[in-house]
PDB file of all heavy atoms in Angstrom:
ATOM      1  N   GLU A  13      -2.970  -1.609  16.722  1.00  0.00           N
ATOM      2  CA  GLU A  13      -3.704  -2.730  17.237  1.00  0.00           C
ATOM      3  C   GLU A  13      -2.968  -4.064  17.089  1.00  0.00           C
ATOM      4  O   GLU A  13      -2.420  -4.331  15.974  1.00  0.00           O
ATOM      5  CB  GLU A  13      -5.074  -2.840  16.595  1.00  0.00           C
ATOM      6  CG  GLU A  13      -6.011  -3.826  17.193  1.00  0.00           C
ATOM      7  CD  GLU A  13      -6.250  -3.571  18.680  1.00  0.00           C
ATOM      8  OE1 GLU A  13      -6.783  -2.478  19.005  1.00  0.00           O
ATOM      9  OE2 GLU A  13      -5.909  -4.459  19.479  1.00  0.00           O
ATOM     10  N   LEU A  14      -2.894  -4.883  18.107  1.00  0.00           N
ATOM     11  CA  LEU A  14      -2.268  -6.195  18.055  1.00  0.00           C
ATOM     12  C   LEU A  14      -3.250  -7.310  18.395  1.00  0.00           C
ATOM     13  O   LEU A  14      -2.891  -8.527  18.282  1.00  0.00           O
ATOM     14  CB  LEU A  14      -1.024  -6.271  19.031  1.00  0.00           C
ATOM     15  CG  LEU A  14       0.156  -5.362  18.673  1.00  0.00           C
ATOM     16  CD1 LEU A  14       1.136  -5.363  19.807  1.00  0.00           C
ATOM     17  CD2 LEU A  14       0.823  -5.852  17.397  1.00  0.00           C
ATOM     18  N   ARG A  15      -4.464  -6.963  18.845  1.00  0.00           N
ATOM     19  CA  ARG A  15      -5.451  -8.028  19.215  1.00  0.00           C
ATOM     20  C   ARG A  15      -6.127  -8.600  18.024  1.00  0.00           C
ATOM     21  O   ARG A  15      -6.736  -7.853  17.198  1.00  0.00           O
ATOM     22  CB  ARG A  15      -6.517  -7.420  20.164  1.00  0.00           C
ATOM     23  CG  ARG A  15      -5.913  -7.116  21.532  1.00  0.00           C
ATOM     24  CD  ARG A  15      -6.942  -6.447  22.390  1.00  0.00           C
ATOM     25  NE  ARG A  15      -7.398  -5.168  21.785  1.00  0.00           N
ATOM     26  CZ  ARG A  15      -8.520  -4.594  21.999  1.00  0.00           C
ATOM     27  NH1 ARG A  15      -9.421  -5.111  22.774  1.00  0.00           N
ATOM     28  NH2 ARG A  15      -8.773  -3.422  21.408  1.00  0.00           N
ATOM     29  N   ARG A  16      -6.015  -9.875  17.872  1.00  0.00           N
ATOM     30  CA  ARG A  16      -6.680 -10.572  16.724  1.00  0.00           C
ATOM     31  C   ARG A  16      -8.151 -10.373  16.838  1.00  0.00           C
ATOM     32  O   ARG A  16      -8.791 -10.409  17.830  1.00  0.00           O
ATOM     33  CB  ARG A  16      -6.369 -12.092  16.866  1.00  0.00           C
ATOM     34  CG  ARG A  16      -7.167 -12.921  15.933  1.00  0.00           C
ATOM     35  CD  ARG A  16      -6.257 -13.648  14.961  1.00  0.00           C
ATOM     36  NE  ARG A  16      -6.872 -14.798  14.380  1.00  0.00           N
ATOM     37  CZ  ARG A  16      -7.360 -14.798  13.161  1.00  0.00           C
ATOM     38  NH1 ARG A  16      -7.287 -13.776  12.401  1.00  0.00           N
ATOM     39  NH2 ARG A  16      -7.963 -15.970  12.698  1.00  0.00           N
ATOM     40  N   ASP A  17      -8.749 -10.180  15.619  1.00  0.00           N
ATOM     41  CA  ASP A  17     -10.199  -9.996  15.467  1.00  0.00           C
ATOM     42  C   ASP A  17     -10.723  -8.712  16.072  1.00  0.00           C
ATOM     43  O   ASP A  17     -11.920  -8.520  16.176  1.00  0.00           O
ATOM     44  CB  ASP A  17     -11.037 -11.177  15.923  1.00  0.00           C
ATOM     45  CG  ASP A  17     -10.904 -12.354  14.885  1.00  0.00           C
ATOM     46  OD1 ASP A  17     -10.778 -12.045  13.659  1.00  0.00           O
ATOM     47  OD2 ASP A  17     -10.984 -13.484  15.277  1.00  0.00           O
ATOM     48  N   ASN A  18      -9.846  -7.701  16.359  1.00  0.00           N
ATOM     49  CA  ASN A  18     -10.315  -6.376  16.608  1.00  0.00           C
ATOM     50  C   ASN A  18     -10.596  -5.815  15.199  1.00  0.00           C
ATOM     51  O   ASN A  18      -9.966  -6.181  14.226  1.00  0.00           O
ATOM     52  CB  ASN A  18      -9.201  -5.607  17.306  1.00  0.00           C
ATOM     53  CG  ASN A  18      -9.608  -4.200  17.543  1.00  0.00           C
ATOM     54  OD1 ASN A  18      -9.807  -3.361  16.650  1.00  0.00           O
ATOM     55  ND2 ASN A  18      -9.773  -3.820  18.842  1.00  0.00           N
ATOM     56  N   THR A  19     -11.628  -5.003  15.073  1.00  0.00           N
ATOM     57  CA  THR A  19     -12.051  -4.531  13.747  1.00  0.00           C
ATOM     58  C   THR A  19     -10.969  -3.709  13.036  1.00  0.00           C
ATOM     59  O   THR A  19     -11.117  -3.427  11.886  1.00  0.00           O
ATOM     60  CB  THR A  19     -13.356  -3.760  13.824  1.00  0.00           C
ATOM     61  OG1 THR A  19     -13.134  -2.635  14.688  1.00  0.00           O
ATOM     62  CG2 THR A  19     -14.457  -4.637  14.350  1.00  0.00           C
ATOM     63  N   LEU A  20      -9.976  -3.229  13.753  1.00  0.00           N
ATOM     64  CA  LEU A  20      -8.863  -2.447  13.175  1.00  0.00           C
ATOM     65  C   LEU A  20      -9.306  -1.136  12.575  1.00  0.00           C
ATOM     66  O   LEU A  20      -8.705  -0.586  11.714  1.00  0.00           O
ATOM     67  CB  LEU A  20      -8.133  -3.253  12.100  1.00  0.00           C
ATOM     68  CG  LEU A  20      -7.592  -4.637  12.500  1.00  0.00           C
ATOM     69  CD1 LEU A  20      -7.025  -5.369  11.329  1.00  0.00           C
ATOM     70  CD2 LEU A  20      -6.586  -4.542  13.640  1.00  0.00           C
ATOM     71  N   ASP A  21     -10.427  -0.616  13.142  1.00  0.00           N
ATOM     72  CA  ASP A  21     -11.016   0.643  12.578  1.00  0.00           C
ATOM     73  C   ASP A  21     -10.070   1.854  12.743  1.00  0.00           C
ATOM     74  O   ASP A  21     -10.213   2.791  11.927  1.00  0.00           O
ATOM     75  CB  ASP A  21     -12.299   0.970  13.281  1.00  0.00           C
ATOM     76  CG  ASP A  21     -13.422   0.001  12.845  1.00  0.00           C
ATOM     77  OD1 ASP A  21     -13.292  -0.579  11.773  1.00  0.00           O
ATOM     78  OD2 ASP A  21     -14.379  -0.183  13.603  1.00  0.00           O
ATOM     79  N   SER A  22      -9.166   1.865  13.677  1.00  0.00           N
ATOM     80  CA  SER A  22      -8.267   3.005  13.833  1.00  0.00           C
ATOM     81  C   SER A  22      -6.945   2.889  13.162  1.00  0.00           C
ATOM     82  O   SER A  22      -6.162   3.749  13.143  1.00  0.00           O
ATOM     83  CB  SER A  22      -7.987   3.171  15.382  1.00  0.00           C
ATOM     84  OG  SER A  22      -9.179   3.425  16.069  1.00  0.00           O
ATOM     85  N   ASP A  23      -6.722   1.733  12.522  1.00  0.00           N
ATOM     86  CA  ASP A  23      -5.469   1.445  11.845  1.00  0.00           C
ATOM     87  C   ASP A  23      -5.622   1.578  10.321  1.00  0.00           C
ATOM     88  O   ASP A  23      -6.715   1.367   9.794  1.00  0.00           O
ATOM     89  CB  ASP A  23      -4.919   0.073  12.207  1.00  0.00           C
ATOM     90  CG  ASP A  23      -4.430  -0.045  13.597  1.00  0.00           C
ATOM     91  OD1 ASP A  23      -4.372   0.968  14.299  1.00  0.00           O
ATOM     92  OD2 ASP A  23      -4.085  -1.181  13.980  1.00  0.00           O
ATOM     93  N   ASP A  24      -4.533   1.725   9.650  1.00  0.00           N
ATOM     94  CA  ASP A  24      -4.486   1.541   8.184  1.00  0.00           C
ATOM     95  C   ASP A  24      -4.624   0.041   7.949  1.00  0.00           C
ATOM     96  O   ASP A  24      -4.080  -0.799   8.719  1.00  0.00           O
ATOM     97  CB  ASP A  24      -3.223   2.058   7.540  1.00  0.00           C
ATOM     98  CG  ASP A  24      -3.119   3.593   7.581  1.00  0.00           C
ATOM     99  OD1 ASP A  24      -4.144   4.208   7.310  1.00  0.00           O
ATOM    100  OD2 ASP A  24      -1.993   4.063   7.836  1.00  0.00           O
ATOM    101  N   THR A  25      -5.385  -0.418   6.941  1.00  0.00           N
ATOM    102  CA  THR A  25      -5.611  -1.782   6.763  1.00  0.00           C
ATOM    103  C   THR A  25      -5.651  -2.112   5.246  1.00  0.00           C
ATOM    104  O   THR A  25      -5.876  -1.212   4.395  1.00  0.00           O
ATOM    105  CB  THR A  25      -6.956  -2.277   7.284  1.00  0.00           C
ATOM    106  OG1 THR A  25      -8.043  -1.570   6.729  1.00  0.00           O
ATOM    107  CG2 THR A  25      -6.953  -2.111   8.833  1.00  0.00           C
ATOM    108  N   PHE A  26      -5.510  -3.405   4.928  1.00  0.00           N
ATOM    109  CA  PHE A  26      -5.792  -3.882   3.606  1.00  0.00           C
ATOM    110  C   PHE A  26      -6.896  -4.976   3.802  1.00  0.00           C
ATOM    111  O   PHE A  26      -6.747  -5.820   4.693  1.00  0.00           O
ATOM    112  CB  PHE A  26      -4.558  -4.567   2.951  1.00  0.00           C
ATOM    113  CG  PHE A  26      -4.901  -5.271   1.645  1.00  0.00           C
ATOM    114  CD1 PHE A  26      -5.003  -4.512   0.514  1.00  0.00           C
ATOM    115  CD2 PHE A  26      -5.010  -6.573   1.591  1.00  0.00           C
ATOM    116  CE1 PHE A  26      -5.349  -5.092  -0.643  1.00  0.00           C
ATOM    117  CE2 PHE A  26      -5.332  -7.236   0.412  1.00  0.00           C
ATOM    118  CZ  PHE A  26      -5.453  -6.521  -0.732  1.00  0.00           C
ATOM    119  N   SER A  27      -7.935  -4.928   3.056  1.00  0.00           N
ATOM    120  CA  SER A  27      -9.053  -5.818   3.178  1.00  0.00           C
ATOM    121  C   SER A  27      -9.401  -6.529   1.836  1.00  0.00           C
ATOM    122  O   SER A  27      -9.303  -5.972   0.856  1.00  0.00           O
ATOM    123  CB  SER A  27     -10.310  -5.105   3.600  1.00  0.00           C
ATOM    124  OG  SER A  27     -10.135  -4.487   4.858  1.00  0.00           O
ATOM    125  N   VAL A  28      -9.827  -7.804   2.050  1.00  0.00           N
ATOM    126  CA  VAL A  28     -10.318  -8.559   0.887  1.00  0.00           C
ATOM    127  C   VAL A  28     -11.651  -9.124   1.281  1.00  0.00           C
ATOM    128  O   VAL A  28     -11.849  -9.669   2.348  1.00  0.00           O
ATOM    129  CB  VAL A  28      -9.378  -9.753   0.546  1.00  0.00           C
ATOM    130  CG1 VAL A  28      -9.964 -10.602  -0.554  1.00  0.00           C
ATOM    131  CG2 VAL A  28      -8.012  -9.307   0.191  1.00  0.00           C
ATOM    132  N   LEU A  29     -12.687  -8.911   0.404  1.00  0.00           N
ATOM    133  CA  LEU A  29     -14.004  -9.509   0.603  1.00  0.00           C
ATOM    134  C   LEU A  29     -14.251 -10.429  -0.573  1.00  0.00           C
ATOM    135  O   LEU A  29     -14.092 -10.061  -1.725  1.00  0.00           O
ATOM    136  CB  LEU A  29     -15.081  -8.376   0.541  1.00  0.00           C
ATOM    137  CG  LEU A  29     -15.146  -7.514   1.791  1.00  0.00           C
ATOM    138  CD1 LEU A  29     -14.069  -6.430   1.767  1.00  0.00           C
ATOM    139  CD2 LEU A  29     -16.544  -6.885   1.843  1.00  0.00           C
ATOM    140  N   LEU A  30     -14.669 -11.649  -0.229  1.00  0.00           N
ATOM    141  CA  LEU A  30     -14.943 -12.712  -1.240  1.00  0.00           C
ATOM    142  C   LEU A  30     -16.422 -13.052  -1.150  1.00  0.00           C
ATOM    143  O   LEU A  30     -16.862 -13.561  -0.159  1.00  0.00           O
ATOM    144  CB  LEU A  30     -14.121 -13.880  -0.980  1.00  0.00           C
ATOM    145  CG  LEU A  30     -12.604 -13.771  -1.120  1.00  0.00           C
ATOM    146  CD1 LEU A  30     -11.939 -15.088  -0.738  1.00  0.00           C
ATOM    147  CD2 LEU A  30     -12.221 -13.311  -2.469  1.00  0.00           C
ATOM    148  N   ASP A  31     -17.141 -12.710  -2.157  1.00  0.00           N
ATOM    149  CA  ASP A  31     -18.557 -12.946  -2.288  1.00  0.00           C
ATOM    150  C   ASP A  31     -18.703 -14.272  -3.079  1.00  0.00           C
ATOM    151  O   ASP A  31     -18.953 -14.246  -4.305  1.00  0.00           O
ATOM    152  CB  ASP A  31     -19.267 -11.771  -3.003  1.00  0.00           C
ATOM    153  CG  ASP A  31     -20.729 -11.989  -3.196  1.00  0.00           C
ATOM    154  OD1 ASP A  31     -21.262 -13.020  -2.870  1.00  0.00           O
ATOM    155  OD2 ASP A  31     -21.361 -11.089  -3.817  1.00  0.00           O
ATOM    156  N   THR A  32     -18.526 -15.354  -2.404  1.00  0.00           N
ATOM    157  CA  THR A  32     -18.513 -16.688  -3.069  1.00  0.00           C
ATOM    158  C   THR A  32     -19.850 -17.151  -3.638  1.00  0.00           C
ATOM    159  O   THR A  32     -19.881 -17.990  -4.455  1.00  0.00           O
ATOM    160  CB  THR A  32     -17.932 -17.768  -2.162  1.00  0.00           C
ATOM    161  OG1 THR A  32     -18.726 -17.872  -0.973  1.00  0.00           O
ATOM    162  CG2 THR A  32     -16.480 -17.447  -1.757  1.00  0.00           C
TER     163      THR A  32
END
Side-chain angles (χ1 to χ4, degrees):
E13 189 58 61
L14 292 171
R15 289 178 296 157
R16 170 117 159 105
D17 283 330
N18 180 291
T19 60
L20 306 175
D21 290 335
S22 299
D23 289 355
D24 289 319
T25 61
F26 175 78
S27 301
V28 175
L29 285 79
L30 298 175
D31 178 359
T32 58

